[in-house]
Amino acid sequence: SHFSHAKWCLRRWNGDSYYVQVPKPSSLASVITYSVGAAGKPMAADTVEFAGGVHYNNHPTSKTIGHWIMGYGYASSGSTSYFADPVGGSSAVPWSGPVAKTFSYSSSSFTSRFLQSNGVAY
C-alpha cells in the first residue's frame, strides 16, 4: 500500500518503528507542527496533482501526478509548511528541470489541493 511504503521510508530516515497514517487530513498545520515541532521528526505527504489543475513546485500541469514528498519544517505556527521534493535535481524524471529540491506552501491550501485523495504519515 501507499502508506506501507511511506512508513518504511520514514523508519529508514529516523530509525523509528511507529508512525500514524491520516487519510484526507483536515489540517496539515496541526500534523506538521506536531510531527516536526513536538516530535522532532519529518512527515510524509502522499500528494495528488490532477492534470489541468493546480500543481506545486513547478510540476507540469499537463500531467496527473501521484507523488510522495517529505515535510521537514514550518513557519508562522504551521500556516506555512516546508517540503523536500525528491524530483528536484533528479535525472530519473524527465520534467525535473524547473523543480526545486525544497519549497514552501500555505498549509491550508496544500491540505485542500493535494492531500484529499491520499493523505499523510507521521
Side-chain angles (χ1 to χ4, degrees):
S1 80
H2 288 284
F3 284 121
S4 294
H5 181 70
K7 289 193 298 183
W8 179 84
C9 290
L10 288 167
R11 280 194 295 261
R12 292 279 302 198
W13 186 320
N14 289 311
D16 292 337
S17 61
Y18 179 75
Y19 273 87
V20 176
Q21 303 167 9
V22 181
K24 299 181 182 183
S26 59
S27 170
L28 175 60
S30 63
V31 169
I32 202 160
T33 56
Y34 172 77
S35 187
V36 174
K41 301 178 185 325
M43 49 82 58
D46 187 5
T47 65
V48 178
E49 304 160 275
F50 293 98
V54 178
H55 283 53
Y56 60 84
N57 197 23
N58 292 314
H59 291 181
T61 58
S62 62
K63 298 180 180 300
T64 294
I65 302 167
H67 185 46
W68 281 101
I69 60 174
M70 194 70 68
Y72 68 87
Y74 61 90
S76 304
S77 301
S79 64
T80 299
S81 293
Y82 295 99
F83 299 99
D85 189 339
V87 172
S90 170
S91 59
V93 180
W95 45 266
S96 66
V99 176
K101 291 180 181 179
T102 62
F103 69 98
S104 63
Y105 211 97
S106 157
S107 297
S108 60
S109 295
F110 199 86
T111 301
S112 62
R113 292 176 178 167
F114 309 116
L115 296 177
Q116 297 308 300
S117 294
N118 294 328
V120 298
Y122 67 97

